[in-house]
Amino acid sequence: MSETTNNQNNDMLDSIIKASANSDFHVAEDIYDQANNKLLAKGYKITPEIRDKLFDRVLKKPIETSIQSDNPITGKTIAEAGLELIKNSPLLKAIASNIELEAKELAHLKIQPLASMLLTVMRDSGSNRFNHALLVTLVARSIARNMKISNKDMTNLSLSGLLHDVGDLYLSVPDSGLLTKEDWHKVMAHPVVGSSVVKLYMDYDIDVSTAILEHHERCDNTGYPRKLDANNCSVNGQILILAEAIAGILKTGVETQNVLVAFKLASHVYPESPLNAFNQMLKSLMFVRSENDKNSIINHLTDRVKTLNAVLLSLDDLLIKKDMPALIVESANHLKRRMLKLKQAIYSSGIQYYLEDNSWLHSDDNQIIGLELEISTNEVGWQIQDMLRDVTLRLLEYKGEFPEPFVQITEQLASVIKE
């Protein structure tokens, strides 16, 4: 067993132990190491003490295949959890009127033992990963329903949505916050690990593991792990790409006027077919906002546009300096190209006009314009965050000390994420 595989086994063990604080797990079959020494007997209750027995041990079988929960995830419990999630998220129901039916359909899924185990660990580990996976699945099904995909594809898509982040359990990926280089290595690996686990240890259609592998690709080739053009991914992969991105900003309990409901500036990033289907779902969606809400949106978007312009000026200053490391210059040029493309999209959309002239506040179309500005505010923030991710990934192998001007640029970008 390689060091990487052993570390993944240790991370999975830690995930199970963490989940055991909220639910009971037990050993379903005797656990042996590769030398055939019995480490734990069938029936043993999982407690933090097993870490000393199993940590860094080379096991005969992956530990998660030998553990069971006393309260396992089933299709029925997934459906119930989905209905509860919808109940607490009015926007989710507003986006898709049939969303409750989509949740109820999940009760018919055949959840294989290892899939149940991993989903149960996600649910009981105290993180938001299970709810995120469920939200991705519900959004994906709603988009797919508008695309009229087959029942078989819908089943595979649902399984992919539920399992798309199981790779996190093997990698100790942080739930939030600014990530280190090591964290980004794990982030890039989690689609590969999750896809491999499903492909090797679960008897599901190959389409399930394929969509999991593809769920972070982008149409401009800035995604991961393979930097594919997302429009060339599988149909379910394309839907999952968009649904995962949407779910990332549909936060349960947040006021509807503060939630992103479409990707106005993202047509070049997300797959065309599911994005068109999603936009069709939103055509009749309308929110009523107060004047304070509208002014807040304007101020927020103005600040983000100012950050965009400030970073572009900083990049120009950096690029005229001599003796900059080649990889820093290459990354700075790439970042500048992406930011200029975003700036061009902002101006071509007409958003700048509304920021400079507030007379629209008193027009009959002020609700529609306000919605567009809010959409743009969130999308600009998300694209700047993605640019920071992209630059971080490009510099993972950089061994030198980062020049101060470049550090200041990344801090400017990070300030948007912290808002």
Side-chain angles (χ1 to χ4, degrees):
M1 178 181 287
S2 68
E3 182 180 353
T4 298
T5 303
N6 201 37
N7 287 339
Q8 290 175 5
N9 181 69
N10 289 337
D11 288 338
M12 173 53 70
L13 175 61
D14 284 339
S15 296
I16 294 171
I17 290 174
K18 187 176 181 181
S20 70
N22 300 305
S23 187
D24 289 333
F25 293 80
H26 64 271
V27 178
E29 59 181 84
D30 295 345
I31 296 177
Y32 295 87
D33 64 15
Q34 283 197 340
N36 221 33
N37 297 309
K38 186 160 72 172
L39 303 177
L40 287 177
K42 179 179 178 179
Y44 193 97
K45 183 177 179 180
I46 300 301
T47 64
E49 285 70 30
I50 71 163
R51 196 173 192 276
D52 294 334
K53 294 178 178 289
L54 301 179
F55 197 78
D56 278 340
R57 300 297 291 267
V58 181
L59 304 182
K60 201 168 186 178
K61 292 178 58 178
I63 184 172
E64 64 274 17
T65 64
S66 301
I67 305 292
Q68 287 185 359
S69 169
D70 294 348
N71 182 28
I73 288 284
T74 64
K76 181 180 178 182
T77 57
I78 291 171
E80 291 170 351
L83 291 171
E84 186 65 21
L85 186 65
I86 294 166
K87 179 181 176 182
N88 294 320
S89 181
L91 181 60
L92 194 54
K93 190 170 183 178
I95 287 174
S97 58
N98 65 338
I99 196 74
E100 291 180 344
L101 292 177
E102 300 298 349
K104 291 175 181 178
E105 284 294 313
L106 296 175
H108 303 298
L109 289 177
K110 294 180 180 178
I111 308 299
Q112 295 180 10
L114 180 55
S116 175
M117 173 63 187
L118 297 178
L119 290 171
T120 303
V121 170
M122 290 172 64
R123 180 194 65 188
D124 296 337
S125 61
S127 70
N128 192 46
R129 285 175 181 155
F130 178 70
N131 279 344
H132 171 71
L134 190 53
L135 184 55
V136 168
T137 305
L138 292 171
V139 172
R141 285 183 63 96
S142 297
I143 294 171
R145 190 69 66 187
N146 278 268
M147 294 174 65
K148 297 180 171 57
I149 70 171
S150 69
N151 290 336
K152 178 184 176 182
D153 286 338
M154 184 70 87
T155 296
N156 289 337
L157 175 65
S158 301
L159 293 167
S160 300
L162 291 168
L163 297 169
H164 77 278
D165 275 344
V166 294
D168 287 350
L169 298 174
Y170 296 82
L171 297 164
S172 295
V173 178
D175 289 331
S176 60
L178 296 177
L179 304 182
T180 65
K181 285 186 180 182
E182 292 73 20
D183 292 334
W184 276 117
H185 275 299
K186 294 177 180 179
V187 168
M188 290 180 66
H190 87 269
V192 178
V193 174
S195 175
S196 297
V197 168
V198 172
K199 186 176 181 179
L200 292 173
Y201 299 109
M202 299 181 201
D203 187 24
Y204 286 135
D205 193 288
I206 190 65
D207 288 352
V208 177
S209 58
T210 297
I212 291 172
L213 182 63
E214 296 170 336
H215 81 270
H216 275 297
E217 301 293 354
R218 296 290 182 263
C219 293
D220 58 359
N221 303 104
T222 63
Y224 58 88
R226 296 182 291 171
K227 294 187 179 298
L228 301 177
D229 180 343
N231 280 317
N232 294 330
C233 290
S234 65
V235 172
N236 278 356
Q238 292 184 38
I239 296 170
L240 200 59
I241 288 166
L242 181 61
E244 204 275 342
I246 293 169
I249 43 82
L250 289 180
K251 297 178 181 177
T252 302
V254 175
E255 292 293 328
T256 54
Q257 63 264 29
N258 295 324
V259 178
L260 174 62
V261 293
F263 294 168
K264 184 178 176 64
L265 305 177
S267 59
H268 67 290
V269 178
Y270 298 104
E272 182 178 359
S273 295
L275 188 59
N276 288 341
F278 182 62
N279 286 334
Q280 286 294 321
M281 292 163 57
L282 298 172
K283 274 193 170 180
S284 62
L285 190 60
M286 181 64 66
F287 299 129
V288 177
R289 295 172 172 80
S290 67
E291 294 301 313
N292 287 336
D293 290 330
K294 295 170 191 171
N295 289 329
S296 176
I297 291 167
I298 294 170
N299 292 336
H300 212 39
L301 180 55
T302 299
D303 287 343
R304 290 187 170 180
V305 172
K306 285 180 178 177
T307 297
L308 177 64
N309 290 328
V311 172
L312 282 169
L313 290 174
S314 298
L315 285 167
D316 286 338
D317 290 341
L318 181 146
L319 289 169
I320 63 174
K321 294 183 183 297
K322 297 180 179 179
D323 301 323
M324 279 286 165
L327 189 55
I328 296 293
V329 173
E330 179 187 339
S331 299
N333 274 314
H334 176 76
L335 177 59
K336 182 179 178 180
R337 287 193 294 271
R338 288 197 66 183
M339 299 200 85
L340 285 173
K341 188 178 291 186
L342 175 58
K343 185 176 179 179
Q344 181 181 14
I346 291 172
Y347 277 87
S348 64
S349 69
I351 292 169
Q352 195 67 26
Y353 167 78
Y354 296 117
L355 296 180
E356 296 168 354
D357 183 354
N358 289 347
S359 60
W360 62 270
L361 283 166
H362 310 292
S363 73
D364 293 337
D365 294 330
N366 69 82
Q367 292 293 335
I368 296 174
I369 296 170
L371 177 60
E372 291 185 352
L373 287 173
E374 180 188 343
I375 290 167
S376 303
T377 300
N378 285 280
E379 180 56 32
V380 169
W382 273 86
Q383 288 209 36
I384 290 176
Q385 179 175 344
D386 190 65
M387 290 175 195
L388 180 58
R389 173 195 64 81
D390 191 19
V391 168
T392 302
L393 294 179
R394 286 174 173 272
L395 294 171
L396 282 177
E397 306 305 324
Y398 181 72
K399 303 299 183 183
E401 184 174 344
F402 289 106
E404 182 60 28
F406 190 80
V407 173
Q408 292 175 356
I409 288 171
T410 57
E411 288 176 348
Q412 285 176 296
L413 293 174
S415 69
V416 174
I417 301 174
K418 295 175 181 177
E419 291 177 356

